Amino acid sequence: MNLVLPDVSFAPMLPLLLVLAGAIVSTLGGFWLPRRTLTALNVVFLLASGASLVWLWGAGADVPRSAFAGALRADPAALLLGGTVLLGALLTLLVSLDTAYRARVSFAEFDALLMYAVTGCLLIAFSGDLIVMLIGLEIMSLASYVLVTFQDSRRAEESGLKYFLLGSVGSAILIYGLAFLYGATGTLNYAGIAQQVSVLEPANLGVLVAGTLLVLAGFGFKISLVPFHQWTPDVYSGAPTLVSLFLSTVVKVAAFAGMLRVFGGALAAGPGWHAVLQVLVALTLLIGNAAALYQQNFKRLLAYSAVAHTGFLAMTLLGDTAQGGAALGYYLLVYTLMTVAALAIVAALQRTEEGMSVNDLRGLYYRHPAYAAALAVCLASLAGLPPFAGFFAKYLAFQVAFESGYVVVSLLAVLSSVAALVYYLRPAMLMFMPDRTPAREYAHGQRPATTFAVALSLIGIVVLGLLPNLWYGWVAPPEIWRLLAGT
Amino acid sequence: MTSLMLFLPLLGALLVLLTPVKWREEVAGFFAAVTLGLGLWLWRLGGEGLSVSPWVPPLGMTYAVELNGVGLAFALVTAFMTLMAVWYAARRVPNPGPMLAMVLAMETGLLGIFAARDLILFYVFFEWALIPSLLMLAVYGGPGRMRALVKFGAYTLLGSLLMLLSFIGYKWLGGSPTFALPDLLAHPVRGAAQTWLYLGFLAAMAVKLPLWPLHAWLPDFHEQNHESGVPDVMGTLYKVGGYGIFVFGLTLFPDASLELRPVLMGLAAFTALYAAWIAFHQSNWKRLLAYAGLSHMGFVALGLFSLNETAVIGAMYLLAFQNLYTGALFMAVGMLQERVGSLDTRVGGVMNQAGALGGLTLALWLASIAVPGFAGFVGEFSVLLGAYQVSPWLTFLAGLTTIAAAAYALTAFQRTFWEGRPLGAVRVADLRGTEWLVLVLPLLAALLFGVYSAPVLNLMQPAVRAALSSLGGQ
């Protein structure tokens, strides 16, 4: 009998497999080992996965870069985006060492699901066809639904249910859209779709456009693009802060990686979606920023700010893939650093998982000088003030939109940035105002891991702000992003 | 050398925060003095030419700095007044560490603005200077600071983001490989696009200048700042709008400058008159000074937008030295507040007990309203002389401001320092120690360069000629 083995090469899967190993170890090890040990183990697994990314980046041509006939691809784009995902996950784990217990999510299942979610995220970044992307997306989503619900509280359950219901609707729409895409092009492979899109018969055009728009809507749910954003503030503020941190960074980075693969790669030349995305981006910028202006709760404010940043991030998808991909690659890393640091500080200082009110921040500088200064830097960076990295991220987004001819969108982005400055500035400045009322922070406990994570992010924000080329130099080469859809 | 001067104050700011409380004032003073010394040395060497090194090569951003000509003059004034501010803050502000650090951090931003010859680098320094000024307002400001802060931040950022878009557009439409000024000049944008881009650029500069109707943040900003006036000194140094228009606006957008000249000159003249009118009605010293500054800025803008060589030199001269006496006046007001506990102009009779403070304040006011013999006169006269050749009527209107200035300055001075002393008022002490230095040195500088303007004019004239040469021999 002649057994034909499928084209399976493990090298490109290595980063995924390492994270998956962490997930499995946590699932089983939870019976015998304390959670902190598992977390430490998972940190090691994440670092190893990161090391394998570096190895794949530098390895010679003899190491295969794709598995399953191109369905899984460890191309440079996947490695760069995967690195951002891993960094976000690592920082989440670090923060969880200090705050998981208080948030009542300190058990092995938390780690296990987190690692499963990261596996899904990586799978999206490494995907070479729509099915792999979908599998990754579902693994990620299912794990995050549970993560949100984990805390034994009504708020968490409510937000978990909301996330699950709306997320499933989003997934359903996405799957429907994928079916249309398959119907129109006859292939699920990105490269195949890209090829078909350019030579499409008019008869299939309608199906293709319908599929594209459905996929756009499905992704819209995942990245919380207006008008698909309604779940975001509720879920982010209802979930434990630690989980909000994970959702708003790692999960969002992965969803954007998927969008980049599908829209920047497979459908780059596709019809129709640019115009629709342009409108959605404009709406996101306006509504996300305007709604954030009126938030009294700081955690909720950050949730809306995450929506607003979606608008900026999605601006990069409007442009030419080579330029837009580079901008998105840079932005995602910086966004991860800024958001992780800001939410980590909230997680460390809040008294309850509801976060703190903006007014509670008054005088924080005189109680926790280092955290206050760090939070101020994060907020300044989120607002896009130089010399912090957020400025270059915004700059790149502006540049992509402007140079691709979306002048109106970039002007709107400017106007909404002013609103953003107002809501970032208020908490940032309140912290430095002298205050004589008693402290409103959770005063007890050591927070070395959180401090370390915040310090790490802060160094990133400042260094990448002064020398953006340290990271931009890696993501800048246009050939990386031209490969998105395969060769 | 230029870079050393730029980043020395920042280093000082970091060190101030790290040194024990006891030594902070000395450290801050040392760094401010060394920076000034470096600046003076650079002046002796005749400035330092352009040096370009890559910063973010894929995006065409460069670290291009140059410190000579007009920029050097501004940098010198900045370094000088920073030293004054540091001296005064050390004496006046309780626990001055954070304030000193922010003053020094802001100095780096300001010097960077005057040295940058790359649009993005300019933008970065432009916003950099914003952060310490916001923090100073937040930490040391008055009760209404949040509103002032948000207003200031929002105006500034709206302007500067539009400017950023216009920078992106300029490079892209012109096809320049980098954002460095020489490259951009070699790849100019022409036609209607230039006008649009100029409007975007102007949005930022008009907010900072400030030009009516984008000035609304200015009085609140000054009113809510710490009473000592130290943050206001930095605020007056912050008027980088005029400089930005001079160094980038006139050179990169020559056609648009000519095209918009009548409108902009009209706005400038209106700003000067309108601000003087409002200043006349102020009863708070800081608001009065803010509007007086605004009125002077209208003059600066008039000179700049007239695109006439004499007027532009005058505008730059005025802009440079306006910082000296307005900054010193802000500190004098701070001293007044320390003594009588109020910033109100209707105090009365302070002159009886604090003769030196009154005398110096009057002298500074005379400098500010451009009495001949002071630096302001050279500037204002040149502006009027040059602008008259371009638009006599507008210049006449703006010229009325000089009369209005005398009216508001002398009225306010008379009310505070003469008139009757209220019964039961506290006894007012006269100037002591550093207070003398802080007021006398700027006054002497204004006097020196009012009488002997050649060195500064020699520094500025070639730069102005070069900037205006792109306009076709105007």
Side-chain angles (χ1 to χ4, degrees):
Chain A
M1 199 175 81
N2 194 8
L3 187 68
V4 182
L5 286 170
D7 160 36
V8 178
S9 41
F10 284 95
M13 289 201 286
L14 195 58
L16 282 158
L17 292 176
L18 282 166
V19 177
L20 186 63
I24 293 169
V25 166
S26 312
T27 314
L28 299 175
F31 294 108
W32 301 287
L33 292 171
R35 179 184 168 260
R36 289 183 79 86
T37 318
L38 288 176
T39 310
L41 269 176
N42 283 330
V43 168
V44 174
F45 276 116
L46 287 177
L47 288 174
S49 173
S52 70
L53 290 182
V54 176
W55 170 70
L56 277 169
W57 181 276
D62 50 327
V63 177
R65 292 308 159 89
S66 71
F68 303 112
L72 192 96
R73 305 161 40 79
D75 52 12
L79 300 179
L80 290 169
L81 295 169
T84 305
V85 165
L86 288 178
L87 181 74
L90 187 73
L91 293 172
T92 312
L93 276 184
L94 283 176
V95 174
S96 84
L97 280 174
D98 288 336
T99 54
Y101 183 73
R102 276 179 51 212
R104 301 201 303 282
V105 291
S106 182
F107 30 81
E109 289 80 355
F110 178 82
D111 278 56
L113 280 163
L114 193 115
M115 294 301 273
Y116 282 122
V118 177
T119 313
C121 293
L122 286 182
L123 205 52
I124 300 175
F126 281 63
S127 65
D129 75 7
L130 292 172
I131 292 300
V132 174
M133 192 275 294
L134 182 68
I135 293 170
L137 198 75
E138 286 304 311
I139 296 174
M140 172 187 92
S141 301
L142 287 170
S144 353
Y145 301 149
V146 186
L147 280 176
V148 172
T149 330
F150 249 158
Q151 189 195 41
D152 181 22
S153 77
R154 278 191 73 109
R155 284 163 49 81
E157 278 162 26
E158 187 193 323
S159 58
L161 192 63
K162 195 174 261 175
Y163 191 26
F164 173 63
L165 288 175
L166 286 168
S168 326
V169 173
S171 293
I173 294 174
L174 183 74
I175 294 168
Y176 205 44
L178 297 186
F180 272 59
L181 286 187
Y182 182 66
T185 58
T187 171
L188 287 165
N189 190 280
Y190 293 155
I193 294 176
Q195 206 182 1
Q196 288 293 314
V197 163
S198 45
V199 293
L200 205 66
E201 297 157 30
N204 284 343
L205 200 65
V207 183
L208 181 71
V209 170
T212 311
L213 294 184
L214 285 171
V215 172
L216 183 62
F219 270 117
F221 273 104
K222 300 288 172 198
I223 62 169
S224 54
L225 204 60
V226 172
F228 312 109
H229 72 293
Q230 270 100 351
W231 58 271
T232 317
D234 292 347
V235 172
Y236 283 10
S237 60
T241 309
L242 181 60
V243 177
S244 320
L245 186 159
F246 182 72
L247 293 183
S248 58
T249 55
V250 179
V251 170
K252 191 183 257 183
V253 170
F256 264 106
M259 266 191 107
L260 189 63
R261 286 272 181 203
V262 176
F263 289 96
L267 295 168
W273 64 269
H274 281 100
V276 178
L277 183 61
Q278 181 190 3
V279 175
L280 296 186
V281 166
L283 283 177
T284 310
L285 288 169
L286 284 179
I287 292 176
N289 281 305
L293 263 181
Y294 296 101
Q295 297 309 315
Q296 294 303 317
N297 182 304
F298 188 57
K299 196 173 150 193
R300 225 177 142 78
L301 189 154
L302 287 176
Y304 271 108
S305 118
V307 175
H309 271 273
T310 298
F312 285 109
L313 284 161
M315 260 166 85
T316 60
L317 291 169
L318 288 170
D320 157 57
T321 308
Q323 205 191 5
L328 189 62
Y330 182 82
Y331 203 142
L332 284 175
L333 179 77
V334 173
Y335 171 79
T336 302
L337 292 173
M338 302 186 293
T339 313
V340 164
L343 280 167
I345 293 170
V346 173
L349 296 182
Q350 65 188 353
R351 280 207 159 160
T352 66
E353 289 301 321
E354 282 175 58
M356 57 243 296
S357 113
V358 171
N359 286 321
D360 284 348
L361 289 170
R362 186 183 283 270
L364 183 68
Y365 178 69
Y366 303 93
R367 303 190 290 268
H368 297 272
Y371 276 141
L375 188 54
V377 169
C378 292
L379 289 170
S381 182
L382 281 165
L385 290 181
F388 305 114
F391 160 67
F392 280 99
K394 256 188 190 173
Y395 167 84
L396 290 167
F398 283 147
Q399 192 186 30
V400 169
F402 194 88
E403 295 190 359
S404 310
Y406 296 94
V407 178
V408 178
V409 172
S410 31
L411 280 175
L412 260 179
V414 164
L415 290 177
S416 60
S417 287
V418 177
L421 182 80
V422 173
Y423 65 76
Y424 288 127
L425 200 61
R426 229 176 81 76
M429 292 299 143
L430 272 174
M431 291 189 295
F432 292 96
M433 294 190 180
D435 178 37
R436 287 187 187 77
T437 51
R440 280 148 305 223
E441 288 88 34
Y442 182 81
H444 313 290
Q446 296 286 312
R447 297 180 271 256
T450 305
T451 310
F452 178 69
V454 171
L456 205 64
S457 314
L458 217 62
I459 292 170
I461 293 170
V462 174
V463 170
L464 289 182
L466 294 174
L467 302 167
N469 211 33
L470 286 182
W471 178 241
Y472 191 75
W474 290 104
V475 295
E479 48 295 357
I480 294 180
W481 310 101
R482 295 216 177 93
L483 282 176
L484 269 179
T487 40
Chain B
M1 179 91 160
T2 304
S3 302
L4 182 65
M5 185 175 170
L6 290 190
F7 293 106
L8 199 64
L10 185 69
L11 180 70
L14 295 176
L15 284 180
V16 164
L17 288 176
L18 295 177
T19 42
V21 177
K22 212 170 108 190
W23 296 105
R24 284 184 172 174
E25 291 141 34
E26 284 77 4
V27 172
F30 173 76
F31 275 94
V34 172
T35 310
L36 178 62
L38 263 178
L40 290 172
W41 192 31
L42 259 180
W43 190 17
R44 256 202 64 173
L45 297 176
E48 197 166 69
L50 186 67
S51 78
V52 184
S53 42
W55 180 26
V56 194
L59 294 175
M61 296 176 188
T62 58
Y63 178 77
V65 287
E66 176 185 28
L67 211 51
N68 56 21
V70 179
L72 181 58
F74 281 31
L76 280 171
V77 173
T78 303
F80 179 73
M81 285 311 287
T82 307
L83 183 62
M84 298 297 122
V86 165
W87 272 347
Y88 185 50
R91 199 200 70 77
R92 171 70 203 285
V93 184
N95 184 16
M99 168 100 78
L100 294 176
M102 285 184 278
V103 165
L104 287 175
M106 195 162 170
E107 188 185 3
T108 288
L110 293 166
L111 295 178
I113 290 170
F114 300 136
R117 289 295 180 275
D118 175 281
L119 289 184
I120 300 299
L121 191 67
F122 175 74
Y123 181 87
V124 168
F125 280 121
F126 192 79
E127 298 286 296
W128 178 330
L130 174 71
I131 295 172
S133 73
L134 285 174
L135 281 175
M136 266 194 268
L137 186 55
V139 179
Y140 292 101
R145 59 191 143 177
M146 195 40 111
R147 211 174 147 250
L149 217 147
V150 166
K151 216 174 184 180
F152 174 53
Y155 267 95
T156 309
L157 198 75
L158 175 66
S160 47
L161 284 172
L162 288 174
M163 171 170 89
L164 185 65
L165 274 191
S166 115
F167 287 170
I168 295 173
Y170 200 95
K171 172 171 175 274
W172 183 57
L173 293 173
S176 160
T178 69
F179 281 105
L181 191 57
D183 277 336
L184 290 169
L185 289 175
H187 299 83
V189 177
R190 297 266 174 225
Q194 193 190 78
T195 310
W196 282 108
L197 294 173
Y198 188 45
L199 285 176
F201 176 74
L202 267 184
M205 294 301 147
V207 166
K208 280 286 162 67
L209 198 55
L211 203 61
W212 186 87
L214 297 173
H215 68 284
W217 58 272
L218 180 80
D220 288 350
F221 173 77
H222 283 302
E223 188 186 5
Q224 295 299 332
N225 254 321
H226 190 243
E227 313 91 30
S228 70
V230 172
D232 302 297
V233 175
M234 302 317 283
T236 56
L237 296 172
Y238 202 50
K239 293 190 173 63
V240 295
Y243 176 75
I245 290 175
F246 167 72
V247 74
F248 295 118
L250 300 188
T251 51
L252 290 177
F253 310 96
D255 307 341
S257 304
L258 273 175
E259 196 182 328
L260 294 173
R261 175 159 74 179
V263 183
L264 293 174
M265 280 182 78
L267 274 180
F270 181 75
T271 308
L273 256 187
Y274 163 88
W277 173 253
I278 304 218
F280 189 70
H281 294 281
Q282 296 304 314
S283 61
N284 177 305
W285 268 104
K286 283 215 172 169
R287 284 186 86 86
L288 171 67
L289 279 172
Y291 278 109
L294 180 58
S295 174
H296 288 128
M297 287 303 123
F299 247 94
V300 169
L302 183 76
L304 262 176
F305 291 136
S306 71
L307 306 177
N308 173 290
E309 188 185 314
T310 316
V312 174
I313 293 178
M316 289 297 108
Y317 205 83
L318 188 60
L319 194 60
F321 290 104
Q322 192 260 352
N323 290 333
L324 284 179
Y325 42 77
T326 310
L329 270 174
F330 268 113
M331 289 193 284
V333 166
M335 294 170 196
L336 181 71
Q337 195 276 342
E338 190 185 4
R339 286 166 171 76
V340 300
S342 147
L343 284 170
D344 202 283
T345 52
R346 289 162 298 201
V347 182
V350 178
M351 198 66 160
N352 295 342
Q353 287 148 2
L357 175 63
L360 283 174
T361 308
L362 182 62
L364 285 166
W365 265 124
L366 293 179
S368 161
I369 62 178
V371 166
F374 288 105
F377 174 74
V378 181
E380 280 199 21
F381 184 72
S382 309
V383 168
L384 289 176
L385 191 66
Y388 186 80
Q389 296 165 23
V390 178
S391 173
W393 279 105
L394 281 177
T395 312
F396 170 72
L397 279 178
L400 291 177
T401 317
T402 48
I403 305 169
Y408 64 70
L410 296 179
T411 317
F413 180 80
Q414 190 252 353
R415 278 198 193 138
T416 308
F417 287 92
W418 297 112
E419 293 198 345
R421 188 90 184 110
L423 287 172
V426 286
R427 184 164 172 78
V428 176
D430 210 344
L431 296 184
R432 289 174 292 243
T434 27
E435 290 182 334
W436 278 98
L437 280 181
V438 163
L439 294 189
V440 167
L441 288 180
L443 187 67
L444 284 182
L447 199 59
L448 172 66
F449 291 108
V451 183
Y452 182 50
S453 53
V456 181
L457 286 180
N458 289 341
L459 196 60
M460 288 180 168
Q461 201 170 26
V464 171
R465 286 220 171 115
L468 291 180
S469 63
S470 52
L471 292 164
Q474 248 294 315

